[in-house]
Amino acid sequence: QVQLVESGGGLVQAGGSLRLSCAASGRTFSSYVVAWFRQGPGKERDFVAVISGIGSTIRYADFAKGRFTISRDNAKNTVYLQMNSLKPEDTAVYYCAADRAWYTTAAYAYWGQGTQVTVSS
Protein backbone atom coordinates (compact mmCIF):
# COMPACT_ATOMS: atom_id res chain seq x y z
CA GLN A 1 0.00 0.00 0.00
CA VAL A 2 1.12 3.55 -0.74
CA GLN A 3 0.23 6.74 1.10
CA LEU A 4 0.61 10.01 -0.78
CA VAL A 5 0.90 13.55 0.57
CA GLU A 6 0.90 16.57 -1.74
CA SER A 7 2.42 19.92 -0.89
CA GLY A 8 3.54 23.11 -2.58
CA GLY A 9 0.23 24.62 -3.60
CA GLY A 10 -0.64 28.22 -2.96
CA LEU A 11 -1.62 31.54 -4.46
CA VAL A 12 0.39 32.84 -7.38
CA GLN A 13 -0.07 35.56 -9.97
CA ALA A 14 -0.62 34.72 -13.60
CA GLY A 15 2.70 34.03 -15.29
CA GLY A 16 4.23 32.75 -12.08
CA SER A 17 5.49 29.31 -11.11
CA LEU A 18 4.89 26.68 -8.47
CA ARG A 19 6.44 23.32 -7.75
CA LEU A 20 4.19 20.69 -6.30
CA SER A 21 5.56 17.70 -4.43
CA CYS A 22 4.01 14.30 -3.85
CA ALA A 23 5.70 12.41 -1.04
CA ALA A 24 5.03 8.69 -0.83
CA SER A 25 5.41 6.08 1.85
CA GLY A 26 6.56 2.55 1.11
CA ARG A 27 9.78 0.81 0.15
CA THR A 28 8.89 -0.07 -3.43
CA PHE A 29 8.08 3.41 -4.71
CA SER A 30 10.06 2.92 -7.90
CA SER A 31 7.63 0.20 -8.96
CA TYR A 32 4.72 2.65 -8.99
CA VAL A 33 3.51 4.83 -11.81
CA VAL A 34 2.60 8.27 -10.47
CA ALA A 35 0.29 10.80 -12.05
CA TRP A 36 -0.99 14.27 -11.35
CA PHE A 37 -4.62 15.23 -11.80
CA ARG A 38 -6.50 18.43 -11.14
CA GLN A 39 -10.06 19.38 -10.37
CA GLY A 40 -11.27 22.91 -10.81
CA PRO A 41 -14.43 24.35 -9.24
CA GLY A 42 -17.45 22.61 -10.69
CA LYS A 43 -15.30 20.57 -13.06
CA GLU A 44 -14.34 16.95 -13.46
CA ARG A 45 -10.98 15.63 -12.35
CA ASP A 46 -8.59 15.97 -15.31
CA PHE A 47 -5.36 14.22 -16.11
CA VAL A 48 -2.28 16.47 -16.02
CA ALA A 49 0.84 14.30 -16.34
CA VAL A 50 2.15 10.82 -15.60
CA ILE A 51 5.59 9.34 -15.05
CA SER A 52 6.70 5.72 -15.05
CA GLY A 53 8.38 4.07 -12.08
CA ILE A 54 11.93 4.83 -13.12
CA GLY A 55 11.02 8.05 -14.90
CA SER A 56 11.80 6.77 -18.37
CA THR A 57 8.33 7.42 -19.78
CA ILE A 58 6.32 10.60 -19.35
CA ARG A 59 3.11 11.88 -20.83
CA TYR A 60 1.34 15.22 -20.52
CA ALA A 61 -2.12 16.54 -21.16
CA ASP A 62 -2.14 18.98 -24.05
CA PHE A 63 -2.67 21.97 -21.77
CA ALA A 64 0.41 21.00 -19.74
CA LYS A 65 2.85 20.54 -22.60
CA GLY A 66 5.57 23.16 -22.62
CA ARG A 67 4.53 24.63 -19.26
CA PHE A 68 4.53 21.75 -16.76
CA THR A 69 7.28 19.25 -16.02
CA ILE A 70 6.83 16.05 -14.06
CA SER A 71 9.83 14.38 -12.46
CA ARG A 72 10.64 11.99 -9.66
CA ASP A 73 13.37 11.26 -7.15
CA ASN A 74 12.95 7.67 -6.05
CA ALA A 75 15.65 8.05 -3.40
CA LYS A 76 13.34 10.57 -1.74
CA ASN A 77 10.10 8.78 -2.62
CA THR A 78 8.88 12.01 -4.18
CA VAL A 79 7.33 13.07 -7.46
CA TYR A 80 7.32 16.70 -8.51
CA LEU A 81 5.22 18.85 -10.81
CA GLN A 82 6.95 22.03 -11.87
CA MET A 83 4.36 24.46 -13.22
CA ASN A 84 5.47 27.55 -15.13
CA SER A 85 3.61 30.32 -16.95
CA LEU A 86 0.57 29.67 -14.82
CA LYS A 87 -2.82 30.91 -15.98
CA PRO A 88 -6.02 31.61 -14.04
CA GLU A 89 -7.56 28.54 -15.66
CA ASP A 90 -4.93 26.41 -13.92
CA THR A 91 -6.69 27.14 -10.64
CA ALA A 92 -7.68 23.78 -9.17
CA VAL A 93 -7.01 21.25 -6.48
CA TYR A 94 -4.08 19.16 -7.67
CA TYR A 95 -3.91 15.50 -6.72
CA CYS A 96 -1.20 12.92 -7.12
CA ALA A 97 -2.10 9.30 -7.66
CA ALA A 98 -0.16 6.05 -7.81
CA ASP A 99 -0.61 2.54 -9.13
CA ARG A 100 1.47 -0.29 -10.49
CA ALA A 101 -0.31 0.13 -13.84
CA TRP A 102 -0.11 3.01 -16.29
CA TYR A 103 -3.25 5.10 -16.74
CA THR A 104 -4.13 8.51 -18.08
CA THR A 105 -7.57 8.19 -16.52
CA ALA A 106 -8.51 8.42 -12.85
CA ALA A 107 -8.21 4.66 -12.38
CA TYR A 108 -5.36 4.87 -9.90
CA ALA A 109 -5.61 2.88 -6.69
CA TYR A 110 -3.94 5.38 -4.39
CA TRP A 111 -4.61 9.11 -4.06
CA GLY A 112 -3.37 11.99 -2.00
CA GLN A 113 -5.58 14.54 -0.30
CA GLY A 114 -4.86 17.29 -2.81
CA THR A 115 -3.23 20.70 -2.70
CA GLN A 116 -4.93 23.92 -3.77
CA VAL A 117 -3.41 26.01 -6.53
CA THR A 118 -4.92 29.43 -7.13
CA VAL A 119 -3.73 31.65 -9.96
CA SER A 120 -4.83 35.26 -9.84
CA SER A 121 -5.16 37.42 -12.94
Side-chain angles (χ1 to χ4, degrees), residues 65-120:
K65 292 176 182 177
R67 297 192 300 129
F68 295 1
T69 302
I70 190 171
S71 62
R72 67 190 297 159
D73 183 343
N74 286 339
K76 296 182 178 179
N77 277 16
T78 302
V79 171
Y80 304 98
L81 185 68
Q82 177 68 42
M83 304 187 296
N84 299 327
S85 302
L86 284 163
K87 306 174 182 179
E89 51 264 44
D90 294 318
T91 295
V93 177
Y94 284 72
Y95 299 88
C96 65
D99 204 298
R100 293 187 183 273
W102 174 280
Y103 302 105
T104 56
T105 63
Y108 287 79
Y110 306 104
W111 291 83
Q113 82 290 348
T115 186
Q116 176 70 48
V117 171
T118 303
V119 184
S120 63

Side-chain angles (χ1 to χ4, degrees), residues 1 19-20 23 37 42-43 45 69 76 89 101 103 117:
Q1 190 158 354
R19 188 176 81 157
L20 306 183
F37 289 80
K43 297 182 179 180
R45 191 168 297 190
T69 302
K76 296 182 178 179
E89 51 264 44
Y103 302 105
V117 171

Side-chain angles (χ1 to χ4, degrees), residues 8-33:
L11 174 64
V12 64
Q13 289 188 333
S17 298
L18 283 174
R19 188 176 81 157
L20 306 183
S21 298
C22 173
S25 64
R27 291 177 288 180
T28 59
F29 182 62
S30 62
S31 64
Y32 285 85
V33 175

Side-chain angles (χ1 to χ4, degrees), residues 40-57:
K43 297 182 179 180
E44 296 184 350
R45 191 168 297 190
D46 291 331
F47 167 74
V48 177
V50 58
I51 187 167
S52 62
I54 59 171
S56 57
T57 305

